[in-house]
Amino acid sequence: MSTTVHILNSMLNKLTQYRDMTFVWAEISYLAKYWDSLKNRPHLRETLKDLIMRGQLEIVTGGWVMTDEAAAHYYAMIDQLIEGHQWMKSTLGVAPTTGWSIDPFGHGSTVPYLLRSSGIKNTYIQRTHYAWKQFLAAREQLEFWWRQQFDSSSAFNNSQDEDILCHLAPFDLYSVKHACGPDTDVCLQFDFRRVAGEFTESKASRVTKDNVHEKAELLVGQYGRMASLFPHNVALALLGDDFRFNHDMEWDQQYRNYKVLFDYINSQEHWNVEIQFGTLNDYFQEVHQRMKKLNGDQYPTLVGDFHPYGDIYAEGRPSYWTGYFSTRPYWKHLSRELEHWLRSAEILYTLARTVIRQQGNIRLRERLDQDYNYLTLARQSLGLFQHHDAITGTSKEIVMHDYGQQLYRGFKEVMGVISHSAQFLLLHEPFTKPSDLLPAHPMTSYLFPDIQRPSYDTLPQKVALNVPKVEGQKVVVFNSMPHYRQEVIRVGIKYPHVRVVDPSGKEVPSQVNPAWNGSVEILSSIFELLFVAELPPLSLITYIVYRKEELLKVSKTTITVFVSDVFAKIPRASLFNFRNPGDEEIVLKNQFLTAVISKTSGLLDSVELTAEKVVKKVAMKVLYYNSEEFHSGAYLFQPNKMYPVFNISERFPIIRVVQGQITSEVTTVYPGVFSVTYRVYHFDGPLAEGIEVDTIFDMSESRRNNVELFLRVESDLNSENAFFTDSSGFQMIKRYTHAHVPTEANFYPVTSAAYIEDSDWRLTMLVSHAHGCSSLHSGWLEVVLDRRLRFDDSRGMAEGVMDNKRTNAHFWFLLEKMRSDPKEDEVPNLSHLANVLSSVLNYPAIILASDGKDERPLRGAMTFIEKAFPCDVHLVNLRTTPEAQNYNHPSNSSLLILHRMGRSCKVKAHVTDPCKNEPIKAQLSKFRHVQLQSIEQTSLTGIHSLRKVQSFNDVRIQPMEIQTYRLNFAH
């Protein structure tokens, strides 16, 4: 932060001194901290505003950070954009007009859509595969309308008003060395920074009357070559680099030398060159003016993305930046967990504060107003981690540790916000104790999340609930989705003989499983209780767990343990039934499917759909890639070409089977390395139509280095060389495996889903966090789980990746039958079933428990919408906005962000499809318990008002689109 302060202090001073000099700034996270530091220097705050108004300083993109575009999920991308834009609007009174994404390692297609939806019409990108730069430069197509693959199906997208113009920088990097033209040796003659004691590549000398002609010709030659790559002949040259302009002397050196050059060049009328300092907005204004004269402002159209990124500047041969898709998966998973908890906190906080404020409860409203600061902190912690050197795992170990600490603090804050909001909504007498009005620390004393996490780098564990003898244990479940939802709730209990009742007093199906300590040892102090919750849309539901007599006849869970190279003792008397494995196959079966598990490897072998009566090979393998030293690092991935792959374990695994009335599961443990649990459910509903897969892996104690752990599924689908991956969880993109490029070049990022298909079948893999993914052979699908690398790959981090942690990765696998009359030209999409299970995977119900000591009456249920939203409308967020003039205080308005998710028509509709009987033009439901004053549609981040909306009946969202509505709640 100290370097940033120096840069910004110098900027205020030097831009005031040099009135024709310009500067661009991208990341609000740093600017906001700097602004706070000027609290006692209001004249500097005014100077900053004046520079923006004069056009000398432009804030580009305006996100909290410059987000990564491969491993980040679109929820977090949107959230950090909103955080930055709302800060800009409330603090500076401005909004960004141009996008700036110069350092992410490859560019996805989702970010331009989000920028366009935020009101940004032009954007600048830098890092793409070198061959793309060559291809587009040769055709003068480095500027293009960047459209989405679904745009052509939307009538209103035929207008350029809905497009975003993208400028792709023609050269390798954004430093002065690469940005002034094609000849880096010449460019180094125009970097005038000279700081005593600092190493520099610069070959520059001061510009004088004696050498200005020669230097001006050189510079114009470079700029001219760059401008010739564009039809309008306008060149944009960047002057800067990482951590530059942090000394006053550099501002003077760069300005004074370039000023002499510019004045001389502009005086040479026969050169036909006009040159000046300018912002990104200045450049695009000039481009549009020229292109209107040339061809009516027409540009080529591009659909797709720029993954993977490949460079050639370091070694003279291609290096592929596909390693960071999977680097440091623990942090990637942690980020997605915080995303889930933050989203739930946002929705519940908005509802709770509005209900309490409209009830006139001043004390509780003031209490929740304090919680807004904690919500903001969590937003900013999540937003900061979306940075292109954070969620990518490409920062030094000590920096990653700091990121983990900030994410962990965000966790603690949102858990407190959720607990308070739920308690104040559900308690009949919301505050009867002084502790109810305490700040978030300590957390509210009555309701608390049922998980505990002592530090950021440990996996969460279930809190063991006591289950009092008389009153029972209250368990509150929050469904943050606007749809009816069936979910299996899992809680830890100390007493195993229990029953569960819903708010009406009806007992719900339940199952008690053992808790395991390692491979085969069963704990006697804690058990896992599962029960099926039928959850209304957007609701809080209170269940009660009661003790029951041990003598009552119950359905016991059955346990079978297969131990190939260890000896396990089976207890003689137990709560559970134990079986000898015998010679039977290991099978997980319900009414929809049968999954066969290999007795040798303990891994999935085949799947049969009951309705189709066809057995399909779906064989899972867990393997290592053997990586090239100094070539596989935090950024790059490069397997050893001689010995690329080897098996995970030289031992046979331990396999245990748990069978109950709600779920049956097979857990396979390779001690010290990897474990996987396959799970099927035994009731009607979408959960029963796929295979849930949970993995845990720990490479921290591995004896092997320079290895990459991955999961491969080998099927008999004839997918040829095509597969599909998601783009930031927002849409699916078709990929191709190319035999003429190396293995690492065929990997793509996946953040939510991937699938392969042929004319008859589709195999879908849903994931809980970002991975590198590929299909290297017809019928195959694989994801990298973790990487352990001793050496740096010479791309900037200067150390290996050796801080592995015990990590979990969750998956769902779906085998689906294709329709006999598929739409061949449809945009790639998941099936509705896959969308439903992906939401269960990423946004499970929030579970809160009462402390079990103090009996306080809770409402049985609160449902916040009158009926479910249309089945394909996803509630991205319901986010309270800051006051117009006070960023740190909540307003009475919230942003309702909706995504109408696409769904495939090629896949045969499953049995429990809720969309079957839904009207084509289904409408949004009204809210309950809160009163609305008005609704208006806005830009994505809520900055620009688009139109007034009379009611939710007037909300119409095209397939695939995201829309934002500002809900102004009544006073």
Side-chain angles (χ1 to χ4, degrees), residues 72-90:
H73 188 265
Y74 81 100
Y75 172 92
M77 287 178 171
I78 294 172
D79 206 57
Q80 62 86 28
L81 267 181
I82 294 174
E83 192 67 14
H85 289 189
Q86 292 285 338
W87 184 91
M88 286 179 64
K89 190 68 173 178
S90 64

Side-chain angles (χ1 to χ4, degrees), residues 397-417:
E397 185 173 331
I398 189 172
V399 178
M400 294 304 300
H401 175 74
D402 183 63
Y403 280 130
Q405 297 280 29
Q406 295 201 46
L407 290 173
Y408 179 61
R409 184 179 176 191
F411 260 109
K412 292 193 294 185
E413 307 302 4
V414 294
M415 285 181 175
V417 171

Side-chain angles (χ1 to χ4, degrees), residues 283-302:
Y283 170 76
F284 280 115
Q285 284 187 354
E286 182 66 27
V287 167
H288 285 297
Q289 286 178 10
R290 290 209 178 187
M291 291 299 287
K292 282 179 183 177
K293 295 177 182 177
L294 284 173
N295 63 6
D297 210 19
Q298 298 296 314
Y299 305 86
T301 297
L302 182 140

Side-chain angles (χ1 to χ4, degrees), residues 342-621:
L342 174 60
R343 176 183 171 276
S344 296
E346 296 275 16
I347 296 169
L348 203 52
Y349 176 84
T350 293
L351 296 170
R353 184 176 180 274
T354 304
V355 167
I356 288 165
R357 182 178 56 77
Q358 292 180 347
Q359 289 174 347
N361 195 326
I362 297 175
R363 292 179 68 189
L364 282 188
R365 191 212 69 202
E366 291 175 345
R367 174 66 196 79
L368 282 172
D369 285 353
Q370 296 174 32
D371 273 354
Y372 187 73
N373 293 323
Y374 301 118
L375 201 58
T376 299
L377 187 147
R379 292 169 175 172
Q380 294 176 1
S381 296
L382 179 67
L384 186 68
F385 192 69
Q386 305 317 302
H387 188 275
H388 56 273
D389 269 323
I391 195 169
T392 54
T394 53
S395 290
K396 289 182 179 293
E397 185 173 331
I398 189 172
V399 178
M400 294 304 300
H401 175 74
D402 183 63
Y403 280 130
Q405 297 280 29
Q406 295 201 46
L407 290 173
Y408 179 61
R409 184 179 176 191
F411 260 109
K412 292 193 294 185
E413 307 302 4
V414 294
M415 285 181 175
V417 171
I418 287 173
S419 298
H420 292 146
S421 300
Q423 175 170 317
F424 297 156
L425 284 168
L426 290 178
L427 281 172
H428 287 286
E429 298 181 13
F431 60 98
T432 58
K433 294 184 175 185
S435 61
D436 292 337
L437 297 175
L438 287 174
H441 306 296
M443 194 180 290
T444 178
S445 60
Y446 190 61
L447 289 179
F448 59 89
D450 78 323
I451 62 170
Q452 57 186 1
R453 192 174 214 148
S455 64
Y456 90 85
D457 54 358
T458 55
L459 294 177
Q461 295 180 330
K462 290 286 186 180
V463 175
L465 305 179
N466 285 314
V467 189
K469 290 184 179 180
V470 179
E471 303 87 9
Q473 175 75 56
K474 293 185 178 69
V475 175
V476 174
V477 180
F478 175 51
N479 174 21
S480 66
M481 306 303 290
H483 309 111
Y484 286 97
R485 191 163 188 172
Q486 182 186 63
E487 191 148 346
V488 174
I489 305 301
R490 299 169 181 271
V491 295
I493 53 175
K494 294 181 179 179
Y495 183 81
H497 303 282
V498 296
R499 62 188 181 93
V500 183
V501 299
D502 65 16
S504 68
K506 179 183 176 181
E507 185 170 346
V508 300
S510 63
Q511 174 181 330
V512 175
N513 283 352
W516 301 85
N517 181 20
S519 303
V520 293
E521 182 184 351
I522 295 178
L523 297 174
S524 59
S525 58
I526 182 172
F527 304 86
E528 182 185 49
L529 169 66
L530 294 74
F531 63 90
V532 180
E534 302 286 348
L535 303 173
L538 205 59
S539 61
L540 281 165
I541 306 295
T542 303
Y543 293 86
I544 304 178
V545 182
Y546 289 108
R547 293 195 183 196
K548 65 182 179 182
E549 295 295 329
E550 295 184 27
L551 298 178
L552 291 176
K553 186 176 181 180
V554 295
S555 175
K556 285 189 174 184
T557 300
T558 300
I559 297 170
T560 308
V561 179
F562 294 73
V563 186
S564 299
D565 61 349
V566 297
F567 178 77
K569 294 182 179 178
I570 297 177
R572 293 183 178 179
S574 173
L575 173 69
F576 308 103
N577 286 330
F578 284 85
R579 292 178 53 198
N580 290 318
D583 294 325
E584 74 270 18
E585 285 186 323
I586 304 176
V587 174
L588 293 175
K589 185 174 183 178
N590 62 19
Q591 64 271 44
F592 295 108
L593 60 86
T594 301
V596 177
I597 311 298
S598 166
K599 288 179 64 175
T600 304
S601 68
L603 303 177
L604 183 64
D605 195 60
S606 66
V607 177
E608 178 184 2
L609 296 186
T610 304
E612 304 298 333
K613 298 180 181 179
V614 176
V615 178
K616 299 297 292 181
K617 176 185 175 183
V618 185
M620 189 173 289
K621 295 182 178 180

